[in-house]
Amino acid sequence: MTSTLYIVATPIGNLEDITLRALRVLKEVDLIACEDTRHTRKLLAHYQISKPTVSYHEHNERERSAELIKKLEAGLNIALVSDAGTPLISDPGFRIVREAIDRSILVVPIPGPSALIAAVSASGLPSGAFAFFGFLPARRAARRARLEELAEIKSTVVFYEAPHRIKETIAYASEVFGNRECVVARELTKLHEEFVRGSLSQLELPEGAARGEIVLLIGPPIQGRATQSAGEQMSSMSGDIERLMSAEGLDQKSALKRIARERGISKSDAYRLMIAERGRSK
């Protein structure tokens, strides 16, 4: 029997954002797999949709995928939804989609809301090319290491971040990426939707900004600073670091971070300039 697994995008805040096609699919399928059944039932009730639901989240994904695949192979049509936005985008769903494809079960996307795309489209940052990396690690050392891995990317980079970590993450990003433009987008499509724009070193989040879903966008290197001649940067990098170490008693690593931030370049770029200058002086 033929069956279909539908990947259905749902609103990220404003219930009016659901598509007509999504509503039709949710009404027609045999079963809806939800990240949180209680949350999804509110959406279904709003649109007077009465369909059986089953939980599908990161803690039961392995077992539930096997169960749902059996139902699909028996001929049932199933819709997969997350709590908000498009499933699989920093949400569960990869396992069942992969298993469905491996078993030649039709997988159909029902496109719609996405916090990622909404934030990019209204950010004002270059969007011809951008890179999305989902949620940063919760642990500080791992989060910082992840940012350092991504510092060489020259396009806009986008992350999801928890409200209680956003200020610390911005501070880390300022040290690692240099003083790039950034945007914090929160509460997208909701009553208190807000975009806070500025530079990584100067962005000030207003009171109450650490609430709700947050998307952090960091722009590409600022041309005026990033294209500064190598000779001009190299001529004073080591000297500036040594002067800062002497004046403020900083170690080399801390001084290099400070200089990189002031020049609007990444720490790794500053380190390479310092090594190159020292190599030339030998």
Side-chain angles (χ1 to χ4, degrees):
M1 298 177 66
T2 59
S3 60
T4 302
L5 173 64
Y6 294 97
I7 312 302
V8 183
T10 56
I12 58 176
N14 191 322
L15 294 182
E16 294 179 356
D17 289 335
I18 197 165
T19 68
L20 295 175
R21 187 181 178 205
L23 290 174
R24 177 179 60 78
V25 168
L26 292 175
K27 291 175 182 177
E28 293 178 353
V29 293
D30 301 295
L31 179 66
I32 300 173
C34 328
E35 190 174 1
D36 184 332
T37 55
R38 293 167 299 179
H39 184 88
T40 299
R41 282 173 188 151
K42 294 177 183 178
L43 173 68
L44 299 178
H46 182 82
Y47 286 103
Q48 299 179 328
I49 298 173
S50 179
K51 287 290 176 177
T53 59
V54 62
S55 65
Y56 183 95
H57 48 71
E58 61 178 336
H59 303 298
N60 72 354
E61 190 169 8
R62 180 185 296 273
E63 297 79 12
R64 191 69 82 197
S65 290
E67 295 174 14
L68 295 177
I69 288 295
K70 289 181 180 179
K71 293 181 183 296
L72 287 162
E73 290 179 327
L76 271 65
N77 293 312
I78 297 175
L80 175 67
V81 302
S82 62
D83 283 348
T86 302
L88 282 81
I89 308 302
S90 290
D91 275 323
F94 171 76
R95 182 179 294 275
I96 188 172
V97 168
R98 191 61 175 265
E99 291 185 8
I101 292 171
D102 289 345
R103 289 165 172 75
S104 299
I105 296 170
L106 185 61
V107 178
V108 175
I110 309 297
S114 166
L116 164 65
I117 301 305
V120 170
S121 68
S123 68
L125 296 177
S127 57
F130 64 89
F132 173 62
F133 295 97
F135 285 96
L136 288 165
R139 297 183 63 180
R140 290 175 176 174
R143 199 179 339 148
R144 191 184 193 96
R146 182 63 169 148
L147 289 171
E148 290 176 348
E149 289 175 6
L150 305 175
E152 300 307 310
I153 295 176
K154 302 305 180 184
S155 63
T156 296
V157 292
V158 188
F159 308 97
Y160 289 160
E161 186 53 289
H164 63 281
R165 292 196 298 262
I166 186 64
K167 290 186 178 181
E168 186 176 67
T169 296
I170 290 172
Y172 287 164
S174 178
E175 294 178 0
V176 173
F177 285 84
N179 195 24
R180 298 190 191 183
E181 289 183 287
C182 75
V183 176
V184 170
R186 72 175 189 95
E187 298 285 280
L188 291 172
T189 78
K190 299 177 184 178
L191 179 62
H192 299 292
E193 175 181 278
E194 184 174 24
F195 287 83
V196 184
R197 300 175 175 88
S199 64
L200 281 170
S201 65
Q202 299 177 338
L203 188 76
E204 294 186 5
L205 296 179
E207 291 299 321
R211 292 187 289 116
E213 281 192 6
I214 289 181
V215 184
L216 172 63
L217 306 95
I218 300 173
I222 299 172
Q223 287 296 318
R225 294 169 178 169
T227 60
Q228 183 181 9
S229 73
E232 181 181 353
Q233 290 183 342
M234 289 166 56
S235 65
S236 60
M237 179 64 70
S238 292
D240 285 351
I241 290 173
E242 290 172 3
R243 282 191 291 274
L244 195 57
M245 291 171 64
S246 176
E248 300 191 20
L250 299 176
D251 58 26
Q252 179 178 288
K253 183 178 180 180
S254 299
L256 183 134
K257 289 180 182 178
R258 175 87 68 82
I259 296 299
R261 185 166 64 248
E262 291 175 355
R263 293 187 179 208
I265 61 176
S266 70
K267 185 181 69 174
S268 55
D269 283 342
Y271 180 77
R272 280 196 295 270
L273 290 170
M274 180 186 72
I275 294 301
E277 181 181 351
R278 289 178 177 176
R280 290 190 310 162
S281 65
K282 289 182 179 180

